[in-house]
Amino acid sequence: MKKLPKKLVWTLGVILGLVLVIVVGVRLLFPADKVKEMAVDLASEQLGREVTVAEAGVSLSGGLGVRLKGVAVANPPGFLGAPMFAAEEIDLKLELRPLLQREFQVKRLVVGRPRVRLVRLAGGGDNFTFEAAADGERAPVENEPATPASAKDPAVRFDRLEIQAGRLLFRDEETGQQVELAGIDWTGNLANPTAGRFQSRGLASVDSLVVSGAGPVPVLPVVLDYELSFDATDKLLELTRGDWKVDGLPLECTGRMSLVPDSLRISGSARATGLSLADFLAYVPAEQQSRLEDFTIAGTADAQAEFEFDQARSEPVTYSGEVLVKDLAAVAADVEGELSVSRTRVVFDTASAQVTTEGGSFADQPLALELNVREFENPVFSGRLAGEVDLAFAGPFLPAEKGINLTGRCALEGTFEGRADAVEDLVYDARAEFRDVFYADNVLPDTLHSLNGSARFDPDEVTVEKMEAIFGAGDLTVTGRMTGHLPYFLPADKEN
């Protein structure tokens, strides 16, 4: 889609030219039907497509006015279905006096119910490439200074531009992906201060943005309050201000898009503040929603990101950013106790992500986490965990066939490293302090009524610094090292 914006601008420009021909026709006292025929012929020649207009009306009241009904730009050969562009009505009103200074000052241009249908075929080819447009491009002149519009081409100014109830559909038959924007409304203006340079500001809204195909997203309404400029000589589109609301969620962004042929570059930044986690999680894909059904999550998040796409690079997409989650509170339906974290910071880029927490607790006991992730396609993770837990929380994760009854408290601090696809090979090194531990199962001949002490452990061994245990048959103090400890505590299908 790298040339899509330019092609759309060209198409709209030709349609505007069609309207202006009719205006000129009025000035030359041509009959309206003759002017409509001339305009349709000119537009068809410029686009290399059939262009049709059902009705054309003209007036001189309050300026030169033209109203077109039933405007359509046909598809190229080989494309069936609705035309590439159709509009029920185009209403244009020009100021009279500026025309004498070769300036087109548009009081209003309203496009009613436009329908844009863009299709890319699986075998190559599309309905939005215009051969006439490519042949007619002007080659840029190196170091050419900006020239006031009035000195070269007629200056154009639109005081009021409107699109009412529009619809845009793009379908890629090769990937099966489709993007549809319905209920497009736009009110704005357009200025042409120097030749080849355009500036616009306005408010656009979309009732629904629907993306379907391999990775569908929810139906979303979108509103954009913006300021942008376009330099036709440098082929540079710049969004200097963009205040978005996506289904009510606020987002501020700026960006630049270089439309140099075969060298598309896009860069920008985005920032959002005060996002509700509960609202944000509602947009998790449907197949992932089931994993969150047993969780209640609250809190807010601030986020900022920068991104760049450079077609010339072997890895065209890069990004970086930071997310700050504040006052996180999470509760699982089958686990007693609440996870609470005052601040969680996530710093990320194209290759890695780092997570740190401050003021964390679980079931009113302190908890801290540092996590590093890299190689996102097959994640490798490492980090540090420190906190205190009630050992009763381990019950659901212990092998049921051993009938384990475990209570008490454990203060834990350690490091870990592993791969997401091989958790059983997790490497860890930790130290634990146990207090008032009770343990019984259907294998041990005696019950451990009380255990207090500390130990270090890793996947291969446990080093007991000191343990004082009280069994039903007597007391025991232990120090030393134990190997091969882990399999006993694993379910039977994991022991080998």
Side-chain angles (χ1 to χ4, degrees), residues 252-263:
E252 301 174 10
C253 63
T254 59
R256 294 161 61 92
M257 178 185 294
S258 174
L259 300 172
V260 177
D262 302 319
S263 185

Side-chain angles (χ1 to χ4, degrees), residues 6 41 55 143 156 168 198 204 219 229 241 283 290 315 320 344 353 436 462 468 470 473 485:
K6 177 176 65 179
D41 290 344
E55 298 180 21
N143 299 324
V156 178
L168 169 65
F198 301 88
V219 177
S229 63
R241 180 180 63 82
Y283 302 108
S290 59
E315 296 291 339
S320 63
T344 302
D436 302 323
V462 171
E468 296 179 347
I470 300 175
H485 58 284

Side-chain angles (χ1 to χ4, degrees), residues 144-478:
E144 182 179 23
T147 306
S150 59
K152 294 180 64 176
D153 301 316
V156 178
R157 193 180 94 191
F158 292 80
D159 294 332
R160 177 183 164 201
L161 282 167
E162 282 191 43
I163 292 177
Q164 299 174 347
R167 182 180 295 269
L168 169 65
L169 181 143
F170 172 76
R171 186 172 75 250
D172 191 330
E173 295 185 350
E174 183 172 356
T175 63
Q177 193 165 40
Q178 179 170 297
V179 179
E180 183 174 5
L181 284 73
I184 302 172
D185 290 302
W186 173 47
T187 302
N189 58 32
L190 178 67
N192 177 207
T194 59
R197 183 168 179 81
F198 301 88
Q199 296 174 338
S200 177
R201 61 187 302 174
L203 180 68
S205 64
V206 178
D207 287 344
S208 65
L209 165 63
V210 182
V211 181
S212 58
V217 301
V219 177
L220 301 174
V222 179
V223 177
L224 170 63
D225 188 352
Y226 73 92
E227 294 180 10
L228 60 81
S229 63
F230 178 67
D231 190 317
T233 303
D234 295 334
K235 295 181 171 58
L236 181 64
L237 178 67
E238 185 169 7
L239 179 66
T240 54
R241 180 180 63 82
D243 297 329
W244 297 78
K245 284 192 177 180
V246 182
D247 199 20
L249 298 179
L251 178 67
E252 301 174 10
C253 63
T254 59
R256 294 161 61 92
M257 178 185 294
S258 174
L259 300 172
V260 177
D262 302 319
S263 185
L264 178 65
R265 293 187 63 185
I266 304 172
S267 62
S269 63
R271 183 167 67 96
T273 57
L275 297 177
S276 164
L277 292 183
D279 292 342
F280 184 77
L281 291 175
Y283 302 108
V284 172
E287 63 271 16
Q288 306 295 332
Q289 285 283 359
S290 59
R291 301 181 183 181
L292 299 174
E293 290 177 353
D294 295 332
F295 293 87
T296 301
I297 300 175
T300 61
D302 299 336
Q304 64 87 23
E306 297 181 352
F307 59 90
E308 183 172 322
F309 173 86
D310 189 339
Q311 184 184 17
R313 293 197 304 236
S314 58
E315 296 291 339
V317 178
T318 59
Y319 57 85
S320 63
E322 181 177 325
V323 179
L324 178 62
V325 179
K326 294 177 285 188
D327 301 323
L328 170 66
V331 177
D334 56 351
V335 177
E336 295 184 7
E338 179 183 87
L339 172 64
S340 176
V341 184
S342 61
R343 295 169 71 89
T344 302
R345 189 179 303 275
V346 182
V347 180
F348 62 89
D349 58 30
T350 314
S352 64
Q354 298 82 42
V355 181
T356 57
T357 63
E358 299 176 17
S361 66
F362 179 71
D364 297 322
Q365 298 300 319
L367 180 66
L369 172 67
E370 296 177 8
L371 176 64
N372 302 295
V373 182
R374 63 185 190 277
E375 300 179 20
F376 292 139
E377 291 187 2
N378 185 14
V380 177
F381 57 88
S382 62
R384 173 183 170 273
L385 178 66
E388 185 169 325
V389 296
D390 185 339
L391 294 178
F393 290 124
F397 307 101
L398 297 175
E401 67 274 9
K402 290 184 170 63
I404 296 175
N405 182 5
L406 177 64
T407 62
R409 307 202 69 83
C410 174
L412 178 70
E413 181 174 359
T415 60
F416 56 88
E417 183 173 0
R419 303 189 72 94
D421 62 349
V423 178
E424 65 276 10
D425 296 327
L426 181 70
V427 177
Y428 54 89
D429 183 7
R431 184 179 185 275
E433 293 186 3
F434 301 93
R435 299 195 308 273
D436 302 323
V437 176
F438 175 91
Y439 181 87
D441 66 20
N442 54 22
V443 177
L444 286 180
D446 200 353
T447 298
L448 175 62
H449 293 281
S450 176
L451 175 69
N452 292 276
S454 61
R456 298 194 66 89
F457 54 93
D458 59 35
D460 299 319
E461 65 180 31
V462 171
T463 300
V464 179
E465 297 174 346
K466 185 178 181 180
M467 289 287 182
E468 296 179 347
I470 300 175
F471 291 90
D475 301 346
L476 179 67
T477 299
V478 177

Side-chain angles (χ1 to χ4, degrees), residues 17 34 88 92 95 100 107 130 142 235 257 278 295 318 332 336 360 427 434:
K34 179 63 176 177
E88 288 190 3
L92 173 72
E95 294 281 8
L100 302 178
K107 294 177 65 175
F130 296 91
E142 186 176 358
K235 295 181 171 58
M257 178 185 294
F295 293 87
T318 59
E336 295 184 7
V427 177
F434 301 93

